[in-house]
């Protein structure tokens, strides 16, 4: 199922698929597995205390505003028409796995982003060549930042 969501004022499309006892969630080419075990959400196997208060999602002292805009049908991977890869939420770049000129495959890790005290791998939504890298290690980025452009 495809969802249009607003996170801290920036709109995203998320694809959610049932996966065994949990869900596979993809936002901006980044996929995570989310499972509820014994009343605690686990993201990619890591217990992640999440609290939802109204439109606010809190985890380990960090919070973001999240609002569901629309729900639609849609399966499969989300591919960005422009080849621009942006982070799904604000965070700090802790590793760059590609450089300009590198060839990348679908699902290959481009950037590791620390957000809400978790490290998230931002993966390539398409195969192609990296034409630009818009951040460096230590930069604080948000969903308006183009991390990598793939042609």
């Amino acid at each position: 199922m495809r969802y249009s969501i607003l996170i801290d004022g920036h709109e995203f499309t998320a694809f959610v698929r049932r996966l065994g006892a949990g869900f596979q969630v993809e936002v901006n080419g980044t996929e995570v597995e989310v499972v509820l075990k014994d009343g605690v959400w686990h993201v990619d196997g890591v217990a992640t205390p999440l609290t939802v208060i109204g439109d606010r999602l809190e985890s380990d002292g960090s919070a973001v505003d999240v609002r569901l805009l629309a729900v639609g049908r849609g399966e499969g991977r989300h591919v960005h028409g422009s080849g621009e890869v942006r982070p799904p939420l604000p965070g700090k770049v802790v590793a760059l796995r590609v450089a300009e000129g590198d060839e990348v495959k679908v699902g290959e890790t481009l950037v590791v982003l620390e957000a809400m005290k978790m490290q998230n791998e931002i993966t390539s939504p398409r195969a192609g060549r990296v034409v630009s890298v818009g951040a460096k290690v230590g930069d604080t980025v948000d969903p308006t930042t183009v991390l990598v452009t793939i042609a």
Side-chain angles (χ1 to χ4, degrees):
M1 192 66 80
R2 183 184 63 219
Y3 298 87
S4 293
I5 53 177
L6 197 64
I7 302 175
D8 274 347
H10 303 283
E11 187 173 342
F12 297 92
T13 299
F15 293 90
V16 179
R17 298 172 203 83
R18 182 159 292 281
L19 182 68
F23 301 92
Q24 182 178 35
V25 180
E26 178 185 333
V27 178
N28 278 9
T30 299
E31 292 183 0
V32 295
E33 183 179 326
V34 181
V35 177
L36 183 62
K37 292 181 186 172
D38 301 321
V40 177
W41 288 102
H42 289 70
V43 179
D44 282 342
V46 177
T48 306
L50 298 172
T51 304
V52 178
I53 302 171
D55 289 342
R56 201 131 177 98
L57 176 64
E58 296 181 0
S59 178
D60 290 335
S62 298
V64 294
D65 289 320
V66 178
R67 190 163 46 111
L68 181 63
L69 300 176
V71 178
R73 291 208 161 277
E75 298 286 338
R77 299 188 58 82
H78 178 65
V79 176
H80 306 277
S82 67
E84 295 179 345
V85 178
R86 300 171 190 265
L89 65 164
K92 180 179 177 182
V93 175
V94 294
L96 291 172
R97 301 283 193 238
V98 295
E100 289 182 17
D102 286 353
E103 295 290 328
V104 295
K105 299 175 184 169
V106 172
E108 185 173 335
T109 299
L110 305 171
V111 176
V112 179
L113 182 73
E114 185 176 281
M116 299 179 75
K117 298 184 179 180
M118 294 176 44
Q119 291 195 356
N120 304 284
E121 292 184 348
I122 309 298
T123 59
S124 179
R126 62 167 55 180
R129 186 177 52 82
V130 174
V131 294
S132 67
V133 177
K136 60 185 182 303
V137 172
D139 283 356
T140 299
V141 296
D142 65 34
T144 65
T145 306
V146 177
L147 295 171
V148 176
T149 302
I150 302 168

